[in-house]
Amino acid sequence: MYAYSFYDILPDANAIHRSDEMSDYGARTQAPDFIRDGGYNSRQSTGWTWTQLRNINYFIENCTNPKIPEDVRKHYIGLARFFRAFFYFDKVKRFGDVPWISKTMPVDDKDLFNGRDSRLKVMDSVLADLDYACANIKTTSDNTRSLVTKYVAYAFKSRVCLFEGTFRRYHRDGLAKGLEGTIDTWLTEAVNAADKVMKDGGFSLNTANGTDKSYRQLFINKTPLVNEIIIASVVDPALSVFNDANWWWTSATYGARLSFTRTFINTYLNIDGTPFTNKPGYETMSFIDEVKGRDLRLQQTIRMGDYKRINGGQTEAAPPVFSYTYTGYQPIKWCLDDVSMDGGSRNDNSISMLRYAEVLLNYAEAKAELGTITVDDWKKTVGALRKRAGITGNTDVLPTVADPYLLSKYYPGLNAVLLEVRRERGIELSLEGLRFYDLIRWKRGELMKQEWNGFYVPALDVLMDLNGDGKNDVFFYKVKPATTINGITYINVAETVSGVANPQRLSKDTYGELTWLNNIKRVWEDKHYLYPIPEADRQMNPKLGQNPGWD
């Protein structure tokens, strides 16, 4: 019963489905304060909280009853140490060096106001906790997908070790200087942990209902699809446990109105496995044409083509809605198709927290970083994911040609294999809360400054059909026509609206890509790779110091 209290550390369903709110591939209502010029400092910083850690340490110290068999005690201590590793991984990602605390502290403890410990010490301790959890947690399966098992621990370990190994590689001249000799150790640990899940965990990719449905089903199913979902935030109508995904992803006022950028949508491959950006004239393709013949995850991630919703028992076409989307690329990944779910916390779909696809990608990326990835590795990881998405070509061979688009827009200097692994990770795991910290570990935070661009508009004052159903949907103008048509959304892209700079424009003024909030400056400096230590906590304990650039 005590161990159940540890689960409060895990994010709830709403936190998970919203967790990519700050990412390079998402335009949103406002620029995040964290990357807005002059918008963030140590007085706004949060997250320096330790209550949950004391709860865990108290349990570890007191789980000593000799009447309880040793293997049972080790099992529960393993659970506690898993959650301590989870807690500290979050702290290190956010703040870098933090105090390592492995005991409970009374208010007069002499160590209470110590300074921070090194990243080396803290992450070695996190790894030790995860190793203990993997070795001692007895539970190997849980069909509710709501409990931490041995293979949850191994899967999470693959995430942690990949993060730390790549962080140390790409920050070796800065925040991880002096840790170069440990890079391969962490990457090897990531490979081994993922391999354990792949060989012994009993998981597989969900392929039920075909290549056009199996991916999205993972995110809208009422109960977790146990073949692929490793752990989830589970709904329970009987206990009135729901989430608000539909409200968040459809409301004109409630959420961040996150919309994908065109730069990212361009990374989805053609169905034959070739880059979409190799097509002549892709830059000026209309929305209705550019989404055809692509990786089938695209139609399971955004509104396009024949996507439909249920309204009052009737099925109706549902093109992108500009009361929500800023770019035309409106997500559907977590959103149920029934419009009755769109207001309030009514969603009864369980929200995945960690799934087998990520483990495959952790394995592939770690092996690619080590330079040991083989054709067989590729086929059972990236190749398998692409086959599940209906892609017919380049799934069984290692890539040899670096995509110029990815090199120029995302990852200059990478080899072809790493480029494709990162492409796959971005697409497969989009909106699952990993993107921002992927950019952090790859030291590609400057991608947060990318233009928030949308689909191509060939001209003003032209009715556009976005889903090919023969009915027009949207009209872009500078001077609104005197007569409007019911069912058409009219979007003003003039320089100003009511004397104020218009955040919604076209890149070439009267034609081109939609752009959003180009008038708000977003910045990225090296200091943004860590959050500042909150000022109030520094005042209580000056020994904490401050992260670089935030003084």
Side-chain angles (χ1 to χ4, degrees):
M1 290 298 292
Y2 193 109
Y4 285 142
S5 70
F6 303 152
Y7 285 82
D8 289 343
I9 289 176
L10 299 179
D12 66 15
N14 290 339
I16 298 167
H17 77 72
R18 302 173 186 179
S19 55
D20 264 349
E21 182 182 345
M22 186 168 71
S23 57
D24 64 312
Y25 52 45
R28 42 175 272 177
T29 302
Q30 296 176 325
D33 285 346
F34 186 66
I35 56 171
R36 192 167 52 81
D37 193 19
Y40 200 87
N41 58 49
S42 62
R43 296 187 181 279
Q44 295 165 277
S45 190
T46 59
W48 197 264
T49 53
W50 303 87
T51 306
Q52 294 166 323
L53 178 61
R54 188 184 195 280
N55 186 49
I56 292 168
N57 286 336
Y58 183 87
F59 179 89
I60 294 171
E61 289 174 353
N62 289 280
C63 188
T64 57
N65 189 341
K67 294 180 181 179
I68 298 174
E70 183 180 16
D71 65 326
V72 176
R73 279 186 279 127
K74 284 185 173 180
H75 164 78
Y76 284 102
I77 292 173
L79 278 175
R81 292 184 68 171
F82 168 85
F83 282 102
R84 187 165 67 184
F86 192 100
F87 174 92
Y88 261 108
F89 180 52
D90 185 64
K91 286 286 184 285
V92 171
K93 284 191 304 179
R94 189 172 180 87
F95 297 114
D97 294 349
V98 293
W100 175 256
I101 302 168
S102 57
K103 63 177 183 179
T104 54
M105 288 182 169
V107 293
D108 58 351
D109 194 298
K110 63 182 179 62
D111 296 326
L112 192 61
F113 292 99
N114 285 350
R116 294 186 280 167
D117 290 303
S118 68
R119 185 185 194 100
L120 181 66
K121 176 180 178 178
V122 175
M123 288 308 294
D124 280 353
S125 301
V126 166
L127 183 57
D129 274 353
L130 287 171
D131 284 341
Y132 187 95
C134 291
N136 290 286
I137 292 175
K138 297 163 67 72
T139 309
T140 57
S141 181
D142 164 47
N143 281 339
T144 71
R145 292 299 187 261
S146 64
L147 298 176
V148 171
T149 67
K150 182 181 291 289
Y151 294 107
V152 171
Y154 273 113
F156 183 68
K157 180 183 173 182
S158 76
R159 177 189 290 183
V160 171
C161 293
L162 176 64
F163 180 94
E164 192 61 16
T166 49
F167 186 93
R168 294 186 184 195
R169 168 158 290 166
Y170 294 104
H171 291 267
R172 60 186 178 272
D173 295 327
L175 294 172
K177 192 170 185 178
L179 301 178
E180 300 92 329
T182 63
I183 293 169
D184 285 2
T185 299
W186 280 92
L187 293 172
T188 301
E189 290 280 3
V191 170
N192 292 340
D195 188 57
K196 182 71 173 177
V197 178
M198 292 160 67
K199 288 180 177 175
D200 300 333
F203 299 100
S204 62
L205 293 178
N206 178 56
T207 56
N209 301 313
T211 55
D212 62 338
K213 295 182 178 65
S214 57
Y215 176 73
R216 184 163 178 248
Q217 202 64 41
L218 291 161
F219 313 107
I220 62 173
N221 218 53
K222 295 180 186 299
T223 57
L225 295 176
V226 296
N227 57 323
E228 182 166 344
I229 304 300
I230 297 175
I231 189 168
S233 180
V234 181
V235 296
D236 190 339
L239 297 176
S240 296
V241 177
F242 299 96
N243 66 75
D244 66 4
N246 271 47
W247 194 17
W248 184 265
W249 292 102
T250 63
S251 174
T253 56
Y254 175 54
R257 292 175 60 180
L258 191 73
S259 310
F260 286 112
T261 65
R262 194 180 199 212
T263 305
F264 176 71
I265 294 296
N266 284 342
T267 68
Y268 281 75
L269 296 170
N270 295 318
I271 200 70
D272 64 2
T274 59
F276 168 71
T277 48
N278 284 0
K279 280 189 173 182
Y282 79 88
E283 300 95 334
T284 56
M285 276 190 185
S286 64
F287 177 77
I288 195 172
D289 292 324
E290 69 175 338
V291 298
K292 293 177 180 176
R294 305 283 290 279
D295 176 337
L296 293 180
R297 284 171 295 193
L298 184 59
Q299 71 180 44
Q300 298 170 75
T301 303
I302 65 170
R303 294 191 180 200
M304 54 165 274
D306 63 354
Y307 174 66
K308 295 179 175 61
R309 303 198 74 203
I310 301 167
N311 190 356
Q314 301 296 313
T315 301
E316 56 187 27
V321 179
F322 276 84
S323 61
Y324 178 89
T325 184
Y326 296 110
T327 65
Y329 305 109
Q330 182 174 353
I332 60 170
K333 184 165 176 173
W334 298 109
C335 188
L336 299 177
D337 296 334
D338 193 331
V339 300
S340 68
M341 301 285 189
D342 289 357
S345 295
R346 301 178 182 179
N347 281 61
D348 59 0
N349 50 322
S350 293
I351 304 296
S352 169
M353 195 179 309
L354 201 166
R355 59 189 179 93
Y356 186 58
E358 183 197 337
V359 174
L360 297 182
L361 289 167
N362 293 346
Y363 179 87
E365 185 179 344
K367 293 212 76 175
E369 288 283 359
L370 288 165
T372 60
I373 192 168
T374 65
V375 172
D376 185 60
D377 293 330
W378 182 266
K379 288 166 65 175
K380 66 187 181 185
T381 57
V382 176
L385 289 167
R386 290 184 175 178
K387 283 185 177 179
R388 195 253 296 273
I391 294 174
T392 58
N394 300 321
T395 58
D396 296 335
V397 293
L398 284 170
T400 57
V401 178
D403 180 3
Y405 186 84
L406 292 183
L407 288 172
S408 65
K409 296 291 187 181
Y410 283 96
Y411 314 115
L414 285 193
N415 63 52
V417 174
L418 272 174
L419 278 176
E420 293 303 321
V421 170
R422 290 191 186 183
R423 182 206 301 271
E424 190 65 21
R425 188 174 180 90
I427 290 168
E428 176 69 27
L429 303 177
S430 65
L431 305 183
E432 295 183 49
L434 298 170
R435 183 63 172 187
F436 178 74
Y437 279 106
D438 280 348
L439 301 185
I440 293 296
R441 64 189 178 90
W442 295 331
K443 204 177 182 183
R444 292 297 296 152
E446 64 189 58
L447 291 174
M448 296 295 292
K449 300 190 298 181
Q450 276 193 340
E451 183 177 59
W452 287 348
N453 58 344
F455 66 48
Y456 185 81
V457 178
L460 294 176
D461 306 325
V462 175
L463 289 165
M464 297 180 67
D465 176 5
L466 300 181
N467 58 351
D469 65 353
K471 298 179 181 178
N472 291 313
D473 303 300
V474 67
F475 182 97
F476 296 92
Y477 69 90
K478 284 191 174 186
V479 178
K480 192 171 184 178
T483 303
T484 58
I485 304 170
N486 287 337
I488 305 296
T489 302
Y490 290 83
I491 307 295
N492 189 345
V493 291
E495 294 86 345
T496 60
V497 177
S498 300
V500 178
N502 187 359
Q504 185 91 72
R505 299 296 314 283
L506 298 182
S507 59
K508 304 295 185 182
D509 188 37
T510 58
Y511 67 97
E513 292 179 342
L514 281 167
T515 64
W516 174 252
L517 278 187
N518 273 354
N519 56 323
I520 302 297
K521 184 179 181 182
R522 284 175 280 131
V523 298
W524 188 270
E525 302 172 21
D526 280 351
K527 71 177 185 178
H528 289 95
Y529 286 109
L530 295 174
Y531 276 76
I533 308 300
E535 192 61 27
D537 296 287
R538 292 183 66 214
Q539 289 175 356
M540 284 191 288
N541 182 9
K543 289 183 182 178
L544 294 176
Q546 185 54 280
N547 282 327
W550 290 106
D551 285 312

